Amino acid sequence: QQSRLPQIKTLDNFDFTFQPSLDEKRIRDVIAREFPRDAQNILFLGPPGVGKTHLALAITYEMIKKGYRALCLTSHEFLEKAKEAMEKGDTKRFVRMLTKTDILLLDEFGFEPMDSHSANLLLQIVAQRYERGSIIITSNRSVSEWAEIVGNAALATAILDRLLHHSKAFQIRGESYRLREKKKAGFVF
Ligand code: ADP
Ligand code: MG
């Protein structure tokens, strides 16, 4: 299976001066160390428009160039596919599909609440990938809100425990790049 990125975003196109809370060196370091090699997970957290998806796609792109395989899904796509798999009674295949790549990118985690079946599938995937494959998650919700998203505190703890053990988190506290462009055009004051 070929890696497919929804868009190509690169680090060279990312303006680090616009996002001073973000340490460019840490990002470059994650790439230089080839995070999938030791199954590191990467989290990009912060409000909308600060570049979470851009950075997630850019580091994934760098790894694809080095020969790693990646699967990218938005949380919405994850939930849709999980539901489809459950209806078909095909959840084993679903879990396998999301477990076998070097990198699984889950974009916009926490945007919609998860039903208990999907949350259970996510735990299976996170558990099977633990110390075997990387997960990249972007979210505008803080880790403390995960119990609410997942709908079950024990499940959230089980997922977070495995996800965070070997991980690097990037908390971005800044302005939306989208709004900056609108401001320049005079649409927002
Ligand atoms: P988020 O996922 O945090 O909501 P995105 O990564 O989708 O934000 O960024 C929104 C848009 O702005 C995208 O087109 C992205 O390429 C661009 N962008 C965001 N931050 C920067 C930046 N610092 N330099 C250049 N482009 C950026
Ligand atoms: Mg995004």
Side-chain angles (χ1 to χ4, degrees):
Q1 186 200 330
Q2 278 259 297
S3 302
R4 221 180 298 148
L5 288 172
Q7 280 178 292
I8 300 292
K9 294 279 181 184
T10 66
L11 276 196
D12 292 339
N13 291 333
F14 193 83
D15 179 5
F16 281 93
T17 63
F18 185 74
Q19 229 43 273
S21 73
L22 191 69
D23 186 351
E24 176 173 1
K25 222 184 116 266
R26 272 187 78 215
I27 299 268
R28 302 261 176 209
D29 199 52
V30 154
I31 292 168
R33 282 161 186 253
E34 293 186 25
F35 63 95
R37 198 171 43 193
D38 43 7
Q40 288 274 336
N41 300 321
I42 313 285
L43 280 84
F44 293 106
L45 305 172
V50 292
K52 301 180 299 296
T53 300
H54 187 135
L55 290 166
L57 289 173
I59 66 172
T60 302
Y61 182 54
E62 290 303 315
M63 293 306 108
I64 289 173
K65 285 198 283 188
K66 297 215 159 150
Y68 293 99
R69 288 178 317 143
L71 182 65
C72 304
L73 288 175
T74 63
S75 264
H76 182 75
E77 289 166 339
F78 175 89
L79 292 173
E80 273 192 335
K81 284 185 197 294
K83 194 165 161 240
E84 209 180 284
M86 282 177 299
E87 283 165 2
K88 285 192 196 152
D90 209 8
T91 55
K92 274 215 171 89
R93 205 181 69 91
F94 175 75
V95 170
R96 210 181 316 124
M97 187 180 83
L98 273 71
T99 308
K100 66 184 183 185
T101 54
D102 302 303
I103 299 170
L104 173 65
L105 168 54
L106 265 186
D107 198 18
E108 294 174 354
F109 181 79
F111 218 72
E112 14 185 339
M114 299 185 99
D115 58 277
S116 65
H117 288 296
S118 304
N120 262 300
L121 289 176
L122 180 62
L123 173 59
Q124 284 183 47
I125 290 160
V126 171
Q128 287 192 27
R129 296 189 68 91
Y130 177 64
E131 298 188 331
R132 289 193 208 127
S134 291
I135 299 177
I136 306 176
I137 283 187
T138 81
S139 184
N140 59 2
R141 309 287 296 273
S142 73
V143 164
S144 61
E145 293 172 291
W146 280 38
E148 191 193 319
I149 298 162
V150 167
N152 175 325
L155 205 56
T157 307
I159 291 171
L160 278 170
D161 195 55
R162 289 164 180 83
L163 196 67
L164 299 180
H165 183 197
H166 306 291
S167 69
K168 294 261 184 301
F170 294 89
Q171 179 76 57
I172 313 174
R173 296 182 179 80
E175 267 199 78
S176 165
Y177 198 83
R178 293 191 191 103
L179 289 188
R180 180 199 89 135
E181 293 188 323
K182 287 245 157 62
K183 274 182 191 164
K184 273 203 305 202
F187 295 127
V188 177
F189 299 95

